């Protein structure tokens, strides 16, 4: 039983990334799939499992696997199911925990992808030693993992921490959840794209963004334009950061975290987004919280925070109590 | 050391109530002062301490006192201070923990008054056995005590759970904190009084409220009028409950509590307020949380939840580890 490993999986609306992870947090090998390429979750589980078995063979670790940690949108730690995930075109309830556990013949544990990222940040990233912090993942949607007194906040239902679906603009933009004005409708790839289209069509000022085909307009290209001095591109991030920052004033009043970390595609915009967000937080936060919460990019690059977090969850759940490994 | 007792104190913006409390949660004797009657906190501490000494004498328990639990607005568990409390006309930082400890010569512990109410609800009230719930106290202001995984949420600063100062109406009413649109500016004695004045002056419909002198218009009289069928009075609570309920949809998305309890003067309005709040929560909450959070009045009547909660905190902090009492 030496050199045991777990799988850490980050199942996102766009991509699914997995790693074979040691107890020390080394990712031995990483696998990536397009989530959207599979119509049904069964197809994804089958493809992932076969690839994992090949990789285990390659590194001679067929018998070393002791568990799977899964992070997925609307993943419920209590039921093991992905329930009504708005960013996955899957049936209402998908028992992903059982499907992966059966396919690979080891126990599995499932949580929200953002919760997995928060565990990763706590154990391997910028939140080491912190007892109260939040990780916000910004990608297709906006997720959040909240740590309180050193533990994840799951709440009574297992779904606590759905910050993407708290209301940033009352009666605002239509969200994928069917309601209006959710934070996710503004601060996400989709939200920033919509803001880009609105700003470009509503204003006459010149911008390099006007020469780009619509499918090239995304947070990354807009952020690059802003960093290169394009005024309209900066305006798009000022608007997004302002909505984010003033909303975080409420988050701080609820939770008073030591830090809020930003993770995922949009977060790579860095200070183009976090600068305006910090200013709006400072301008809107209640006096007693002033200057007490840091906004920072995740200390873990790429998608590895969620992989490492899901792996850490698996270690904690299945492997660590058995000492003497 | 038999029959030890603690003091549980609930220091509110309007009144201060204290009890001598046994380990089993019996309140042996209760003391009440008008907080506002004292210009400085020193005056309040002196009056309270002298009264407490008299009461201890009366029941022959001079040597039985082993600690003081204090619940006060903006009370910080970490520093022991009341910091910048908007509803108390006190200096910026008041070291209430030291002042009471010195005056009565026993150790003291201080927290937010709403946190104390939440501990009271957990140990003696409707939240027995619950691991995730919220207590909202509605009086002069609006406070909240949040319990996550069975423990109070203090956050990094010690001030977490300031729901009264999360934004219910962007750019809305001016709040005592100097910002605009806080939940407290709508859902509190002050907020409901302002709504009453606005509704009565903006509408021509008849109402028994029009015959009342301004200083008799308060949530209690408006609630009685609503219960007796007065349409404008009901409209005032419909408006208040709608703002409360749709705001709680965000609270549920953050915390997913099993229940939210309402405590304090305004809460006694009961279903006149909680009915519209429940409807607005149902209409606004994200699908995965639908029907998963109960709104209920506190199971502890009067001010005793906060007294019992503060006492329970004192027991837990100073007295309980020493077994064999």
């Amino acid at each position: 039983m030496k050199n045991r490993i777990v799988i850490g999986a980050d199942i996102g609306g766009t991509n699914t990334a997995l790693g074979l992870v040691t107890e020390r947090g080394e990712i031995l090998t990483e696998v990536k799939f397009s989530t959207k390429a599979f119509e049904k979750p069964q197809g994804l589980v089958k493809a992932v499992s076969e690839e994992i078995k090949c990789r285990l063979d390659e590194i001679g670790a067929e018998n070393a696997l002791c568990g799977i940690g899964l992070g997925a949108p609307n993943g419920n730690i209590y039921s093991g199911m992905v329930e009504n995930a708005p960013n996955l075109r899957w049936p209402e309830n998908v028992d992903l925990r059982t499907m992966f556990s059966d396919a690979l013949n080891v126990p599995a544990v499932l949580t929200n992808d953002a919760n997995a990222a928060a565990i990763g940040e706590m154990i391997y990233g910028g939140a080491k030693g912190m007892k109260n912090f939040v990780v916000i993942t910004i990608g297709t949607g906006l997720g959040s993992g909240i740590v309180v007194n050193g533990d994840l906040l799951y709440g009574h239902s297992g779904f606590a921490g759905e910050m993407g679906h708290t209301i940033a603009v009352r009666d605002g933009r239509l969200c994928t959840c069917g309601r209006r004005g959710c934070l996710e409708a503004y601060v996400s790839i989709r939200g920033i794209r919509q803001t880009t289209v609105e700003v470009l069509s509503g204003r006459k000022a010149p911008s390099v963004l006007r020469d780009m085909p619509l499918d090239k307009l995304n947070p990354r290209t807009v952020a690059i334009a802003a960093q290169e001095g394009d005024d309209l591109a900066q305006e798009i991030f000022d608007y997004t950061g302002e909505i984010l920052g003033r909303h975080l004033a409420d988050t701080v009043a609820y939770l008073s975290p030591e830090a809020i970390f930003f993770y995922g595609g949009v977060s790579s915009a860095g200070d183009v987004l976090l600068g305006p967000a910090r200013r709006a937080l400072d301008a809107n936060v209640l006096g007693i919280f002033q200057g007490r919460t840091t906004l920072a990019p995740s200390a873990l690059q790429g998608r590895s925070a969620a992989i490492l977090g899901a792996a850490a969850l698996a270690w904690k759940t299945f492997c660590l109590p058995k000492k003497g490994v």
Side-chain angles (χ1 to χ4, degrees), chain A residues 47-79:
Chain A
V48 163
S49 305
E50 283 172 5
E51 183 62 29
I52 288 288
K53 284 174 188 166
C54 289
R55 300 285 178 109
L56 285 167
D57 264 357
E58 278 169 29
I59 60 171
E62 302 88 335
N63 299 315
L65 190 66
C66 68
I68 311 168
L70 301 156
N74 284 28
N76 190 317
I77 188 93
Y78 302 140
S79 70

Side-chain angles (χ1 to χ4, degrees), chain A residues 118-316:
Chain A
I119 299 182
E121 200 71 37
M122 179 161 57
I123 297 184
Y124 305 110
K128 277 180 199 167
M130 289 188 186
K131 293 283 183 195
N132 294 278
F133 68 94
V134 176
V135 170
I136 293 180
T137 62
I138 312 179
T140 313
L142 185 148
S144 62
I146 299 171
V147 171
V148 169
N149 297 329
D151 285 315
L152 271 173
L153 196 175
Y154 291 119
H156 181 58
S157 67
F159 286 124
E162 278 290 346
M163 268 186 63
H165 299 285
T166 53
I167 305 304
V169 180
R170 184 69 55 195
D171 302 320
R173 284 183 189 167
L174 192 63
C175 180
T176 51
C177 73
R179 304 177 314 147
R180 287 196 170 274
C182 293
L183 184 62
E184 174 172 304
Y186 298 85
V187 187
S188 65
I189 293 176
R190 190 185 298 118
I192 293 174
R193 189 172 278 147
Q194 183 168 343
T195 301
T196 303
V197 171
E198 286 175 8
V199 167
L200 291 182
S201 60
R203 302 285 303 280
K204 287 181 178 172
S207 166
V208 296
L209 302 175
R210 295 193 189 281
D211 303 326
M212 287 184 195
L214 197 63
D215 65 354
K216 292 267 186 246
L217 283 177
N218 60 50
R220 185 178 300 269
T221 54
V222 178
I224 291 168
Q227 280 152 354
E228 289 173 352
D230 189 277
D231 286 344
L232 283 195
Q234 185 58 57
E235 190 178 317
I236 289 160
F237 274 100
D238 285 349
Y239 175 81
T240 308
E242 160 86 18
I243 286 179
L244 174 60
R246 72 183 190 194
H247 196 73
L248 293 181
D250 278 4
T251 310
V252 168
Y254 273 105
L255 304 169
S256 186
E258 183 171 354
I260 301 174
F261 296 96
F262 294 85
Y263 180 71
V266 174
S267 322
S268 64
D271 274 349
V272 174
L273 175 67
L274 292 190
R278 277 191 204 102
R279 287 192 291 278
L281 173 60
D282 283 347
N284 286 278
V285 78
L286 188 67
I288 50 168
F289 298 115
Q290 198 84 44
R292 283 177 152 170
T293 299
T294 307
L295 307 191
S298 164
L300 298 169
Q301 295 306 317
R303 295 179 69 84
S304 56
I307 290 178
L308 290 171
L313 186 64
W315 278 113
K316 205 175 145 194

Side-chain angles (χ1 to χ4, degrees), chain A residues 66-122:
Chain A
C66 68
I68 311 168
L70 301 156
N74 284 28
N76 190 317
I77 188 93
Y78 302 140
S79 70
M81 300 215 187
V82 173
E83 304 179 19
N84 304 299
N87 293 321
L88 289 170
R89 282 176 234 146
W90 287 1
E92 211 169 274
N93 292 317
V94 175
D95 189 352
L96 213 58
R97 183 172 68 191
T98 303
M99 287 162 69
F100 270 106
S101 180
D102 287 352
L104 287 157
N105 205 28
V106 287
V109 58
L110 172 78
T111 188
N112 188 303
D113 48 344
N115 285 345
I119 299 182
E121 200 71 37
M122 179 161 57

